[in-house]
Amino acid sequence: MQADDATEEAERALRLCSACMFCDDYCAVFPAIAGKHDYSLADVSYLANLCHNCRGCYHACQYAPPHAFAVNLPQALARVRSRSYAGFARPRWLGRAFAHNATIVALVSALCVLAVLLVADPATLLSASSGEGAFYRVVPREIMVGGALAALALSLTTLALGVAAFWRAIAPDGSRAALLRALPRALADAVTLRYLGGGDGGCGDRIEAPSRLRRLYHHLMVGGLALSFAATAVGAYYHRWLGWEAPYPLLSLPVGLGAVGGVLMLLGASGLIMQKIRANCTPSATETLPGDYALLVLIIGNAASGLALLAWRSTAAMGLLLTLHLGLVLALFLLLPVSKLVHAPFRFAALWRAAVERDQCGSRHRQD
Amino acid sequence: MIARQDCDVLVIGGGCAALCAAIAARQRGADVLMIDHAPFTWRGGNTRHARNFRIAHDEADDYVPGRYPAAAFAADLARVAPDGDAALAALLAQHSLTLTNWLRAQSVRLQRRGRGVMPWSQRTAFFAGGGKAAMDTLYATARRLGIPILHDTEACGIECAGDRVTAVEVAHQGAMVKLRAASVIACCGGHQANRDWLREGFGAAADAIAVRGMGYAQGRLLRALINAGAVTVGDPGRGHIVAVDARGPAVDGGIVTRLECIPYGIVVDCDAQRFADEGGDTARTHYARWGERLLAAPGQHATLILDRSALARAASTAFAPLRAPTIEALAELIDLDGAALRKTVDRYNAAIVPADPNAPESWRAMALLPPKSAQALPISTPPFAAFPLQPGITFTHYGVAVDGSLRVRRDNAPPFANLFAAGMIMAANVLPRGYLAGLGVTISAVFGRLAGEEAARHAGR
Ligand SMILES: Cc1cc2nc3c(=O)[nH]c(=O)nc-3n(C[C@H](O)[C@H](O)[C@H](O)COP(=O)(O)OP(=O)(O)OC[C@H]3O[C@@H](n4cnc5c(N)ncnc54)[C@H](O)[C@@H]3O)c2cc1C
Ligand code: SF4
Ligand code: SF4
């Protein structure tokens, strides 16, 4: 990652914040800058990823525009955050995908659906077919599983390389033991989205109207994703070890998990879109919004196509719905390292460093 | 055009005092109208810049540890301002006991002890997110209670008949309107942003003073009240003035521009000469002393010089220091004579007596004139750093006198029957000089609330 206007602006805002500290109740960013005089580039990208973009500090800020200081910390950090996704992408050329991210998401999704269509058996696409193994008559199981696994492996490797580069840049000084000690706290902070909500007040979607809905919707969506994954895993287990073939009956575990997961994802992702639309976007980096929306729409597409497949799986629409669903799932997998999805590991890395530093701080205080 | 011109209680102002007054009056059933000179974007008055407020409490709770009896509060106040109104001070201390509960009942979020990095304070509670967040919450509460609020509406004058205010003249959307109300509460702060008025109190030096708070504190209504016979308290030539970074804006720099690290370095004037004991008062309030010193310095300007190790001990600053590898290069950056600055620094370094090597705060340089009586550490490790200093005013110790029911007192006559004052506009009753951390907001909130209740009672509610 390189210094540019965005990192300089973030540094300027952070400096004012560290002299002010009025927002130290809101999130981990403020304790992390207490007493600081200088910010390295790595510090700035660490802090940018530590920010959960709750925007509470924007509304609380007596120096927000039109004040001469024009402090807009959520926006400044969001800009650096998206720079960091691009800057730490590995291989480096992948970073370019963040420039027109919505287009990339749309393009990859379309191509994936097309690709699945191409490998599907044209004869089964438009005719009703049901019973055990019906799905695999549309797309052969080896292709389905092999394709998904290959995509996932590729994506996860790429993502891991990027996250490792980011971690190398921001890693705190501290022993391995200190890292391990801080891990539970970091995991808890990440899973509970502790800082998505401006202290206890809720996200600053709009002035005077902090709201906890965003955290709720995010939990629903992630919960839904997890259930859908669980559904896939159980399905794989049934197939591999019990020899039962999809589609499974309505009252089976994979279908139950998948259906609930799909509904939660739908609710969560649409809720997030709604919150985004309702929110005042002054504290946002508007250029990053299309990519955010695109990913949410893709998640909705995944959930909706899955649910539709469930509803109409014994009709002639099954073939097309299945290809659509498989295509969108494939797209989600492939987009892992080049979409808003990267925010999860990046933020976790930042939370981890914050947890380590909090421990160090704590022990320092105890000493004197 | 204003739809309704009559109300039970007219509240003038848009900060903490006004909001507390309006909400308290409304909760007593009064029909309240609130007007503020500032537009919506700048609502909240100087309370936007406030962080913590002083409260007496008999036991620890989620927000303050230990205890701080009302009597101790009053005694602290009497210590810094012995000539204040003791009865009002006692009232303030007493009613501060219930302040956190009252604010929380209005949905204001306070910072729990142990959250964030603010050092706990036994005497003050903190707004979570600071004054602007708190004021936004009070605005939301006021709106929920059905209090109409007119922004961009300045009270310019009053009309009186006997001991009553019959109308308030208001500039609203380019026109002058008269508002009539059974009771009127003036919560419109001081006059510290009125440059002409400051010049009356501080002379030509006033031009070099940065106004730390908002520019709307023009004191227009204060002037009108004085002209209408209100008694004044305090002195317009006295104020809470601190050292701020001269690179900050002339108005509304807020708290971030103040420099707390003066004791770690030396302060030199335009001739690169020291002129005061930087280590003399290392209490947290030391920077308030520097306001007066800067006001007296030639050109009201001076520069703080630190070295690398001093800077490392300093609290974060809003602007990066000017830095240079040598004293001469630093002098050039800040327009001082390099040789003169070098001489001052060398003489200072040579005069240091490192008493206890392990307790640098006790090192002194007493042979100098003026001496440095604590924290006299050598200025020797590059890079060297400089902060340009300027006086910045928080408020003046000046306002209208009130009686125990917060009615504005008149010269040679009983107080106004229906005119009340709360907040900074009457703070000099209890604080005619000096300052205690967190007193401003407490004065505004406590007296605002009391004035609101009193005004509603007066209006028959
Ligand atoms: C930088 C800074 C930091 C501070 N920090 C603290 C702190 O941490 N703790 C603390 O206790 N105190 C602090 N104070 C002091 C504190 O802010 C004030 O004492 C307190 O907020 C005053 O509240 P108020 O409602 O009386 O006045 P203000 O909040 O100043 O409100 C005055 C209001 O009146 C309006 N007004 C002015 N003239 C007119 C008119 N003619 N007609 C209509 N409306 C008018 C203004 O627009 C404004 O809204 C600080 C002050 C500053 C400047
Ligand atoms: S966002 Fe504004 S109010 Fe909050 S800490 Fe930063 S400068 Fe202070
Ligand atoms: S937007 Fe929220 S999470 Fe980000 S720095 Fe501000 S308060 Fe913290």
Side-chain angles (χ1 to χ4, degrees), chain A residues 15-16 18-22 24-26 31 35-38 59-63 66-67 69 198-201 208, chain B residues 41-43 48-51 109 111 115-118 129 132 136 143 252-253 255-256 311 314-318 323:
Chain A
R15 196 180 280 284
L16 282 156
S18 58
C20 170
M21 277 290 154
F22 273 28
D24 72 329
D25 176 81
Y26 281 4
K36 268 180 98 71
H37 284 280
D38 293 297
H59 296 297
C61 189
Q62 62 274 30
Y63 308 114
H67 191 281
F69 285 150
D200 308 320
E208 281 183 16
Chain B
T41 320
W42 296 111
R43 66 182 187 172
R48 291 161 63 93
H49 291 295
R51 179 70 201 272
R109 213 159 64 77
Q111 189 152 343
R115 294 239 331 210
V117 289
M118 275 296 151
K132 177 166 187 297
D136 284 345
R143 217 191 19 232
D252 210 32
I255 60 127
V256 291
L311 189 64
S316 306
T317 54
R323 275 183 264 217

Short mmCIF file of all heavy atoms in Angstrom, two decimals, chain A residues 15-16 18-22 24-26 31 35-38 59-63 66-67 69 198-201 208, chain B residues 41-43 48-51 109 111 115-118 129 132 136 143 252-253 255-256 311 314-318 323:
data_model
loop_
_atom_site.label_atom_id
_atom_site.label_comp_id
_atom_site.label_asym_id
_atom_site.label_seq_id
_atom_site.Cartn_x
_atom_site.Cartn_y
_atom_site.Cartn_z
N ARG A 15 -5.01 12.58 13.76
CA ARG A 15 -4.24 13.45 14.65
C ARG A 15 -5.19 14.34 15.46
O ARG A 15 -5.04 14.49 16.68
CB ARG A 15 -3.30 14.30 13.80
CG ARG A 15 -2.20 14.98 14.55
CD ARG A 15 -1.37 15.78 13.57
NE ARG A 15 -0.42 14.97 12.84
CZ ARG A 15 0.71 14.50 13.37
NH1 ARG A 15 1.00 14.74 14.62
NH2 ARG A 15 1.53 13.79 12.64
N LEU A 16 -6.18 14.90 14.78
CA LEU A 16 -7.16 15.73 15.50
C LEU A 16 -7.92 14.88 16.52
O LEU A 16 -8.17 15.31 17.64
CB LEU A 16 -8.13 16.37 14.50
CG LEU A 16 -7.54 17.59 13.76
CD1 LEU A 16 -8.23 17.81 12.44
CD2 LEU A 16 -7.65 18.83 14.63
N SER A 18 -6.89 12.24 18.05
CA SER A 18 -6.11 11.83 19.22
C SER A 18 -5.91 13.00 20.17
O SER A 18 -5.72 12.82 21.36
CB SER A 18 -4.78 11.19 18.81
OG SER A 18 -4.03 12.08 18.06
N ALA A 19 -6.00 14.23 19.63
CA ALA A 19 -5.93 15.38 20.52
C ALA A 19 -7.28 15.62 21.21
O ALA A 19 -7.38 16.32 22.19
CB ALA A 19 -5.52 16.63 19.75
N CYS A 20 -8.33 15.03 20.67
CA CYS A 20 -9.69 15.29 21.14
C CYS A 20 -10.20 14.16 22.03
O CYS A 20 -10.52 14.36 23.19
CB CYS A 20 -10.60 15.48 19.92
SG CYS A 20 -12.36 15.53 20.27
N MET A 21 -10.29 12.96 21.46
CA MET A 21 -10.66 11.76 22.21
C MET A 21 -12.11 11.77 22.74
O MET A 21 -12.45 10.96 23.60
CB MET A 21 -9.72 11.55 23.39
CG MET A 21 -8.46 10.84 23.02
SD MET A 21 -8.84 9.14 22.60
CE MET A 21 -7.50 8.82 21.51
N PHE A 22 -12.92 12.68 22.25
CA PHE A 22 -14.30 12.70 22.73
C PHE A 22 -15.00 11.38 22.42
O PHE A 22 -15.93 10.99 23.10
CB PHE A 22 -15.08 13.84 22.06
CG PHE A 22 -14.97 15.16 22.77
CD1 PHE A 22 -13.84 15.45 23.52
CD2 PHE A 22 -15.98 16.10 22.69
CE1 PHE A 22 -13.73 16.67 24.17
CE2 PHE A 22 -15.88 17.31 23.35
CZ PHE A 22 -14.75 17.61 24.08
N ASP A 24 -13.86 8.32 22.55
CA ASP A 24 -13.14 7.12 22.99
C ASP A 24 -14.05 6.02 23.51
O ASP A 24 -13.63 4.89 23.66
CB ASP A 24 -12.06 7.45 24.02
CG ASP A 24 -12.64 7.82 25.36
OD1 ASP A 24 -13.75 8.38 25.39
OD2 ASP A 24 -12.00 7.54 26.39
N ASP A 25 -15.32 6.34 23.72
CA ASP A 25 -16.26 5.33 24.19
C ASP A 25 -16.80 4.49 23.02
O ASP A 25 -17.38 3.43 23.22
CB ASP A 25 -17.43 6.06 24.87
CG ASP A 25 -18.54 5.15 25.32
OD1 ASP A 25 -18.39 4.54 26.38
OD2 ASP A 25 -19.55 5.03 24.59
N TYR A 26 -16.60 4.99 21.80
CA TYR A 26 -17.34 4.42 20.68
C TYR A 26 -16.77 3.12 20.14
O TYR A 26 -17.50 2.23 19.75
CB TYR A 26 -17.42 5.44 19.53
CG TYR A 26 -18.47 6.50 19.74
CD1 TYR A 26 -19.20 6.55 20.92
CD2 TYR A 26 -18.76 7.44 18.77
CE1 TYR A 26 -20.16 7.52 21.11
CE2 TYR A 26 -19.72 8.41 18.95
CZ TYR A 26 -20.42 8.45 20.12
OH TYR A 26 -21.37 9.41 20.31
N PRO A 31 -9.00 4.27 21.52
CA PRO A 31 -7.95 3.81 22.43
C PRO A 31 -6.65 3.51 21.68
O PRO A 31 -5.56 3.73 22.21
CB PRO A 31 -8.53 2.53 23.03
CG PRO A 31 -10.01 2.74 22.97
CD PRO A 31 -10.25 3.53 21.72
N GLY A 35 -2.58 9.25 22.68
CA GLY A 35 -1.20 9.66 22.96
C GLY A 35 -0.28 9.60 21.76
O GLY A 35 0.91 9.86 21.87
N LYS A 36 -0.79 9.28 20.58
CA LYS A 36 0.09 9.14 19.42
C LYS A 36 0.45 10.49 18.82
O LYS A 36 -0.38 11.40 18.79
CB LYS A 36 -0.59 8.28 18.35
CG LYS A 36 -0.25 6.82 18.45
CD LYS A 36 -0.94 6.03 17.36
CE LYS A 36 -0.03 5.77 16.19
NZ LYS A 36 1.02 4.80 16.47
N HIS A 37 1.68 10.60 18.34
CA HIS A 37 2.11 11.80 17.64
C HIS A 37 2.34 11.54 16.17
O HIS A 37 2.26 12.43 15.35
CB HIS A 37 3.40 12.36 18.24
CG HIS A 37 3.19 13.06 19.53
ND1 HIS A 37 2.73 14.35 19.60
CD2 HIS A 37 3.32 12.65 20.81
CE1 HIS A 37 2.61 14.72 20.86
NE2 HIS A 37 2.96 13.70 21.62
N ASP A 38 2.69 10.31 15.84
CA ASP A 38 3.04 10.01 14.46
C ASP A 38 2.36 8.72 14.00
O ASP A 38 2.16 7.81 14.80
CB ASP A 38 4.55 9.88 14.32
CG ASP A 38 5.22 11.24 14.54
OD1 ASP A 38 4.95 12.16 13.76
OD2 ASP A 38 5.96 11.37 15.54
N HIS A 59 -21.32 11.86 13.63
CA HIS A 59 -22.40 12.70 14.17
C HIS A 59 -22.00 13.35 15.47
O HIS A 59 -22.49 14.42 15.82
CB HIS A 59 -23.67 11.88 14.33
CG HIS A 59 -24.19 11.37 13.03
ND1 HIS A 59 -24.63 12.22 12.04
CD2 HIS A 59 -24.31 10.12 12.54
CE1 HIS A 59 -25.00 11.50 10.99
NE2 HIS A 59 -24.82 10.22 11.27
N ALA A 60 -21.11 12.69 16.21
CA ALA A 60 -20.69 13.26 17.50
C ALA A 60 -19.67 14.36 17.31
O ALA A 60 -19.34 15.06 18.26
CB ALA A 60 -20.09 12.16 18.37
N CYS A 61 -19.17 14.54 16.10
CA CYS A 61 -17.98 15.38 15.92
C CYS A 61 -18.32 16.86 15.79
O CYS A 61 -18.99 17.28 14.85
CB CYS A 61 -17.18 14.94 14.71
SG CYS A 61 -15.59 15.78 14.65
N GLN A 62 -17.80 17.62 16.72
CA GLN A 62 -17.98 19.08 16.66
C GLN A 62 -17.13 19.70 15.57
O GLN A 62 -17.27 20.87 15.28
CB GLN A 62 -17.71 19.70 18.03
CG GLN A 62 -16.30 19.54 18.56
CD GLN A 62 -16.10 18.23 19.32
OE1 GLN A 62 -16.74 17.22 19.04
NE2 GLN A 62 -15.21 18.24 20.29
N TYR A 63 -16.23 18.92 14.97
CA TYR A 63 -15.37 19.44 13.91
C TYR A 63 -15.76 18.90 12.53
O TYR A 63 -15.00 19.03 11.57
CB TYR A 63 -13.91 19.06 14.18
CG TYR A 63 -13.45 19.46 15.56
CD1 TYR A 63 -13.10 18.50 16.50
CD2 TYR A 63 -13.39 20.79 15.93
CE1 TYR A 63 -12.70 18.86 17.77
CE2 TYR A 63 -12.99 21.16 17.19
CZ TYR A 63 -12.64 20.19 18.11
OH TYR A 63 -12.24 20.55 19.36
N PRO A 66 -19.45 21.57 8.07
CA PRO A 66 -18.59 22.59 7.46
C PRO A 66 -17.56 23.23 8.41
O PRO A 66 -17.05 24.29 8.09
CB PRO A 66 -19.62 23.63 7.02
CG PRO A 66 -20.74 23.52 7.99
CD PRO A 66 -20.80 22.07 8.37
N HIS A 67 -17.25 22.62 9.51
CA HIS A 67 -16.21 23.18 10.36
C HIS A 67 -14.88 23.25 9.60
O HIS A 67 -14.64 22.41 8.72
CB HIS A 67 -16.04 22.33 11.62
CG HIS A 67 -15.19 22.97 12.67
ND1 HIS A 67 -13.82 22.98 12.61
CD2 HIS A 67 -15.52 23.65 13.80
CE1 HIS A 67 -13.33 23.63 13.66
NE2 HIS A 67 -14.35 24.04 14.40
N PHE A 69 -12.02 22.41 10.43
CA PHE A 69 -11.22 21.18 10.54
C PHE A 69 -11.76 20.06 9.66
O PHE A 69 -11.04 19.11 9.35
CB PHE A 69 -11.18 20.70 12.00
CG PHE A 69 -10.28 21.52 12.88
CD1 PHE A 69 -10.56 21.66 14.24
CD2 PHE A 69 -9.16 22.14 12.37
CE1 PHE A 69 -9.73 22.42 15.06
CE2 PHE A 69 -8.32 22.90 13.19
CZ PHE A 69 -8.61 23.03 14.54
N GLY A 198 -21.27 2.11 17.64
CA GLY A 198 -20.97 3.33 18.38
C GLY A 198 -21.17 3.19 19.86
O GLY A 198 -22.06 3.81 20.42
N GLY A 199 -20.34 2.38 20.51
CA GLY A 199 -20.56 2.17 21.94
C GLY A 199 -21.83 1.36 22.08
O GLY A 199 -22.03 0.39 21.37
N ASP A 200 -22.69 1.78 22.98
CA ASP A 200 -23.94 1.05 23.14
C ASP A 200 -25.06 1.73 22.39
O ASP A 200 -26.19 1.30 22.40
CB ASP A 200 -24.34 0.98 24.61
CG ASP A 200 -23.19 0.46 25.45
OD1 ASP A 200 -22.53 -0.46 24.97
OD2 ASP A 200 -22.97 0.99 26.55
N GLY A 201 -24.75 2.84 21.78
CA GLY A 201 -25.81 3.70 21.25
C GLY A 201 -26.40 3.21 19.95
O GLY A 201 -27.53 3.52 19.61
N GLU A 208 -29.25 11.96 15.35
CA GLU A 208 -30.32 11.82 16.34
C GLU A 208 -30.97 10.44 16.30
O GLU A 208 -31.87 10.17 17.08
CB GLU A 208 -31.46 12.83 16.13
CG GLU A 208 -31.15 14.21 16.65
CD GLU A 208 -32.34 15.13 16.48
OE1 GLU A 208 -33.46 14.65 16.25
OE2 GLU A 208 -32.13 16.34 16.58
N THR B 41 -27.10 23.31 11.54
CA THR B 41 -25.77 22.67 11.49
C THR B 41 -24.91 23.01 12.70
O THR B 41 -24.08 22.21 13.11
CB THR B 41 -25.00 23.16 10.25
OG1 THR B 41 -25.91 23.25 9.18
CG2 THR B 41 -23.86 22.26 9.90
N TRP B 42 -25.09 24.19 13.24
CA TRP B 42 -24.22 24.65 14.32
C TRP B 42 -24.95 24.67 15.65
O TRP B 42 -24.55 25.37 16.57
CB TRP B 42 -23.67 26.04 14.00
CG TRP B 42 -22.79 26.06 12.81
CD1 TRP B 42 -23.06 26.64 11.61
CD2 TRP B 42 -21.49 25.48 12.68
NE1 TRP B 42 -22.01 26.46 10.75
CE2 TRP B 42 -21.03 25.75 11.38
CE3 TRP B 42 -20.66 24.75 13.55
CZ2 TRP B 42 -19.79 25.32 10.92
CZ3 TRP B 42 -19.43 24.33 13.09
CH2 TRP B 42 -19.00 24.61 11.78
N ARG B 43 -26.04 23.93 15.75
CA ARG B 43 -26.79 23.97 17.00
C ARG B 43 -25.98 23.33 18.13
O ARG B 43 -25.05 22.54 17.88
CB ARG B 43 -28.11 23.22 16.82
CG ARG B 43 -27.91 21.75 16.58
CD ARG B 43 -29.21 21.02 16.36
NE ARG B 43 -28.94 19.59 16.31
CZ ARG B 43 -29.87 18.66 16.27
NH1 ARG B 43 -31.14 19.00 16.28
NH2 ARG B 43 -29.54 17.40 16.24
N ARG B 48 -21.31 21.96 22.50
CA ARG B 48 -20.74 21.02 21.53
C ARG B 48 -19.31 20.64 21.90
O ARG B 48 -18.85 19.56 21.58
CB ARG B 48 -20.68 21.68 20.14
CG ARG B 48 -21.98 21.92 19.46
CD ARG B 48 -21.80 22.96 18.36
NE ARG B 48 -20.91 22.53 17.31
CZ ARG B 48 -21.30 21.92 16.19
NH1 ARG B 48 -22.57 21.67 16.00
NH2 ARG B 48 -20.43 21.56 15.29
N HIS B 49 -18.61 21.60 22.51
CA HIS B 49 -17.18 21.40 22.78
C HIS B 49 -16.91 20.81 24.16
O HIS B 49 -15.76 20.59 24.51
CB HIS B 49 -16.44 22.72 22.66
CG HIS B 49 -16.37 23.24 21.27
ND1 HIS B 49 -15.67 22.58 20.29
CD2 HIS B 49 -16.91 24.33 20.68
CE1 HIS B 49 -15.78 23.26 19.15
NE2 HIS B 49 -16.52 24.32 19.36
N ALA B 50 -17.94 20.62 24.95
CA ALA B 50 -17.72 20.19 26.33
C ALA B 50 -17.66 18.68 26.42
O ALA B 50 -18.28 17.97 25.64
CB ALA B 50 -18.82 20.73 27.23
N ARG B 51 -16.89 18.19 27.37
CA ARG B 51 -16.75 16.76 27.49
C ARG B 51 -17.31 16.24 28.81
O ARG B 51 -18.05 15.28 28.86
CB ARG B 51 -15.27 16.37 27.39
CG ARG B 51 -15.01 14.88 27.52
CD ARG B 51 -15.53 14.20 26.29
NE ARG B 51 -15.80 12.78 26.46
CZ ARG B 51 -14.95 11.79 26.28
NH1 ARG B 51 -13.71 12.05 25.96
NH2 ARG B 51 -15.33 10.54 26.40
N ARG B 109 -26.56 9.75 26.79
CA ARG B 109 -25.70 8.62 27.11
C ARG B 109 -24.42 9.12 27.77
O ARG B 109 -23.75 10.00 27.24
CB ARG B 109 -25.37 7.84 25.84
CG ARG B 109 -25.22 6.35 26.09
CD ARG B 109 -25.42 5.56 24.82
NE ARG B 109 -24.40 5.85 23.83
CZ ARG B 109 -23.16 5.37 23.89
NH1 ARG B 109 -22.79 4.57 24.87
NH2 ARG B 109 -22.29 5.68 22.95
N GLN B 111 -20.61 8.15 29.67
CA GLN B 111 -19.56 7.14 29.51
C GLN B 111 -19.40 6.34 30.79
O GLN B 111 -19.20 6.91 31.86
CB GLN B 111 -18.26 7.85 29.15
CG GLN B 111 -17.18 6.90 28.73
CD GLN B 111 -16.19 7.57 27.78
OE1 GLN B 111 -16.49 8.61 27.20
NE2 GLN B 111 -15.04 6.98 27.63
N ARG B 115 -14.52 2.57 30.44
CA ARG B 115 -14.60 2.43 28.98
C ARG B 115 -13.76 3.52 28.35
O ARG B 115 -13.69 4.62 28.86
CB ARG B 115 -16.05 2.57 28.52
CG ARG B 115 -16.91 1.45 29.00
CD ARG B 115 -17.58 0.67 27.93
NE ARG B 115 -17.89 1.35 26.70
CZ ARG B 115 -18.91 1.02 25.96
NH1 ARG B 115 -19.73 0.07 26.34
NH2 ARG B 115 -19.12 1.64 24.83
N GLY B 116 -13.17 3.20 27.21
CA GLY B 116 -12.34 4.19 26.55
C GLY B 116 -11.06 4.41 27.32
O GLY B 116 -10.63 3.56 28.10
N VAL B 117 -10.45 5.56 27.12
CA VAL B 117 -9.14 5.81 27.73
C VAL B 117 -9.14 7.01 28.65
O VAL B 117 -8.12 7.37 29.20
CB VAL B 117 -8.06 6.02 26.64
CG1 VAL B 117 -7.76 4.73 25.94
CG2 VAL B 117 -8.49 7.08 25.67
N MET B 118 -10.30 7.66 28.79
CA MET B 118 -10.34 8.83 29.66
C MET B 118 -9.98 8.42 31.09
O MET B 118 -10.51 7.43 31.59
CB MET B 118 -11.75 9.40 29.67
CG MET B 118 -11.98 10.33 28.53
SD MET B 118 -10.86 11.71 28.73
CE MET B 118 -10.60 12.17 27.07
N GLY B 129 -19.17 10.29 23.74
CA GLY B 129 -19.14 10.98 22.45
C GLY B 129 -19.02 12.48 22.57
O GLY B 129 -18.90 13.17 21.57
N LYS B 132 -21.47 17.35 21.67
CA LYS B 132 -22.35 17.40 20.50
C LYS B 132 -23.31 16.22 20.50
O LYS B 132 -24.50 16.37 20.25
CB LYS B 132 -21.57 17.45 19.19
CG LYS B 132 -22.51 17.43 18.00
CD LYS B 132 -21.85 17.81 16.70
CE LYS B 132 -22.89 17.95 15.59
NZ LYS B 132 -23.59 16.71 15.30
N ASP B 136 -27.29 16.62 20.61
CA ASP B 136 -28.16 16.01 19.60
C ASP B 136 -29.24 15.18 20.27
O ASP B 136 -30.40 15.17 19.85
CB ASP B 136 -27.34 15.13 18.65
CG ASP B 136 -26.54 15.96 17.64
OD1 ASP B 136 -26.84 17.16 17.51
OD2 ASP B 136 -25.64 15.40 17.00
N ARG B 143 -37.70 17.49 20.70
CA ARG B 143 -38.65 17.35 19.60
C ARG B 143 -39.72 16.34 19.94
O ARG B 143 -40.89 16.54 19.64
CB ARG B 143 -37.92 16.96 18.32
CG ARG B 143 -38.53 17.64 17.12
CD ARG B 143 -38.04 17.11 15.83
NE ARG B 143 -37.46 15.81 16.05
CZ ARG B 143 -36.27 15.46 15.65
NH1 ARG B 143 -35.56 16.28 15.02
NH2 ARG B 143 -35.78 14.27 15.88
N ASP B 252 -13.77 28.96 17.08
CA ASP B 252 -14.30 27.60 17.11
C ASP B 252 -13.25 26.49 16.99
O ASP B 252 -13.55 25.41 16.50
CB ASP B 252 -15.37 27.42 16.02
CG ASP B 252 -16.42 26.40 16.44
OD1 ASP B 252 -16.68 26.30 17.65
OD2 ASP B 252 -16.96 25.69 15.57
N GLY B 253 -12.04 26.75 17.45
CA GLY B 253 -11.03 25.69 17.43
C GLY B 253 -11.33 24.58 18.43
O GLY B 253 -10.77 23.49 18.32
N ILE B 255 -11.47 22.21 21.83
CA ILE B 255 -10.45 21.82 22.80
C ILE B 255 -9.17 21.31 22.16
O ILE B 255 -8.14 21.27 22.80
CB ILE B 255 -10.96 20.75 23.78
CG1 ILE B 255 -11.38 19.51 23.02
CG2 ILE B 255 -12.06 21.24 24.67
CD1 ILE B 255 -10.70 18.31 23.57
N VAL B 256 -9.24 20.89 20.90
CA VAL B 256 -8.06 20.21 20.34
C VAL B 256 -6.84 21.10 20.18
O VAL B 256 -5.72 20.61 20.12
CB VAL B 256 -8.34 19.54 18.97
CG1 VAL B 256 -9.28 18.37 19.14
CG2 VAL B 256 -8.86 20.54 17.98
N LEU B 311 8.84 15.71 23.53
CA LEU B 311 7.67 15.48 22.70
C LEU B 311 7.07 14.11 22.98
O LEU B 311 5.85 13.92 22.99
CB LEU B 311 8.05 15.61 21.22
CG LEU B 311 6.89 15.61 20.24
CD1 LEU B 311 6.00 16.82 20.47
CD2 LEU B 311 7.38 15.57 18.81
N ALA B 314 4.68 14.27 25.69
CA ALA B 314 3.55 15.18 25.53
C ALA B 314 2.30 14.44 25.07
O ALA B 314 2.37 13.41 24.42
CB ALA B 314 3.91 16.25 24.51
N ALA B 315 1.15 15.00 25.44
CA ALA B 315 -0.12 14.45 24.94
C ALA B 315 -0.21 14.75 23.45
O ALA B 315 0.48 15.62 22.92
CB ALA B 315 -1.26 15.11 25.68
N SER B 316 -1.08 14.02 22.76
CA SER B 316 -1.26 14.23 21.32
C SER B 316 -1.70 15.66 21.05
O SER B 316 -2.40 16.26 21.84
CB SER B 316 -2.32 13.30 20.78
OG SER B 316 -2.04 11.97 21.10
N THR B 317 -1.28 16.16 19.89
CA THR B 317 -1.67 17.52 19.52
C THR B 317 -2.42 17.51 18.19
O THR B 317 -2.22 16.62 17.37
CB THR B 317 -0.42 18.40 19.37
OG1 THR B 317 0.48 17.77 18.45
CG2 THR B 317 0.29 18.56 20.71
N ALA B 318 -3.26 18.53 18.01
CA ALA B 318 -4.08 18.59 16.81
C ALA B 318 -3.24 18.77 15.55
O ALA B 318 -3.56 18.24 14.49
CB ALA B 318 -5.08 19.72 16.93
N ARG B 323 9.21 20.64 13.00
CA ARG B 323 10.38 19.89 13.46
C ARG B 323 11.61 20.23 12.63
O ARG B 323 11.49 20.49 11.43
CB ARG B 323 10.12 18.39 13.39
CG ARG B 323 9.41 17.88 14.64
CD ARG B 323 9.22 16.38 14.58
NE ARG B 323 7.91 16.06 14.08
CZ ARG B 323 7.18 15.02 14.53
NH1 ARG B 323 7.63 14.24 15.47
NH2 ARG B 323 6.00 14.78 14.02
#
